[in-house]
């Protein structure tokens, strides 16, 4: 059974799995609120295609959209990324510990090899 947090992480990582959506998030992070057409402009895609990407980002809670007349504006909602970062941080600590252990073993091996040459 998948709990709510796992389902949320699934939608966030699904949204982040696409390079266009990651670039859209970067644009929103660096430039603030943008229209969907402004988000689509760097890419050779239709407005409908850009809107589909924005819908995936909205479903993941990474983007909030507001409508003003016919223009749809998007802004970054970074809180969901913090949840994903926390998940990734666990594995960062795991690999840091493993690499620290490997470093200690290699240093000990080098020290033993150095002592063997002295004899």
């Amino acid at each position: 059974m998948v709990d709510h947090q796992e389902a949320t992480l699934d939608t966030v990582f699904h949204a982040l799995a696409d390079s266009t959506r990651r670039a859209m998030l970067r644009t929103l992070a660096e430039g603030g609120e943008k229209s969907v057409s402004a988000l689509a402009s760097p890419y050779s895609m239709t407005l409908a295609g850009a809107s589909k990407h924005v819908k995936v980002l909205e479903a993941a809670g990474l983007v909030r959209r507001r409508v003003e007349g016919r223009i749809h504006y998007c802004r970054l909602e970074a809180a969901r990324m913090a949840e994903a970062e926390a998940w990734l941080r666990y594995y960062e600590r795991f690999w840091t510990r493993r690499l620290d252990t490997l470093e200690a073993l290699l240093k000990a091996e080098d020290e033993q090899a150095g002592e063997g040459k002295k004899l």
Side-chain angles (χ1 to χ4, degrees):
M1 177 180 242
V2 177
D3 66 15
H4 176 68
Q5 186 177 13
E6 290 294 320
T8 299
L9 280 175
D10 287 349
T11 59
V12 168
F13 283 119
H14 169 71
L16 295 175
D18 183 89
S19 63
T20 301
R21 291 192 288 268
R22 289 193 305 271
M24 287 176 161
L25 290 174
R26 167 98 29 157
T27 299
L28 293 172
E30 293 174 349
E33 186 176 78
K34 300 281 183 201
S35 67
V36 173
S37 61
L39 288 173
S41 65
Y43 312 100
S44 57
M45 70 172 63
T46 63
L47 195 57
S51 188
K52 284 182 181 177
H53 283 295
V54 169
K55 283 179 183 175
V56 172
L57 293 170
E58 279 184 293
L62 297 170
V63 164
R64 183 170 300 229
R65 184 192 312 227
R66 71 177 177 85
V67 179
E68 196 172 296
R70 296 180 58 162
I71 302 173
H72 292 220
Y73 292 96
C74 300
R75 66 180 165 91
L76 180 65
E77 291 288 321
R80 284 285 164 83
M81 271 197 234
E83 294 171 16
E85 181 191 8
W87 186 87
L88 290 170
R89 201 173 309 125
Y90 171 82
Y91 291 98
E92 178 186 13
R93 287 190 301 266
F94 168 80
W95 283 110
T96 298
R97 283 192 306 267
R98 301 290 292 259
L99 292 172
D100 287 347
T101 301
L102 177 62
E103 182 181 26
L105 288 170
L106 292 172
K107 281 183 181 177
E109 190 176 283
D110 285 348
E111 287 174 9
Q112 284 179 348
E115 289 175 9
K117 289 180 182 176
K118 291 179 183 175
L119 298 178

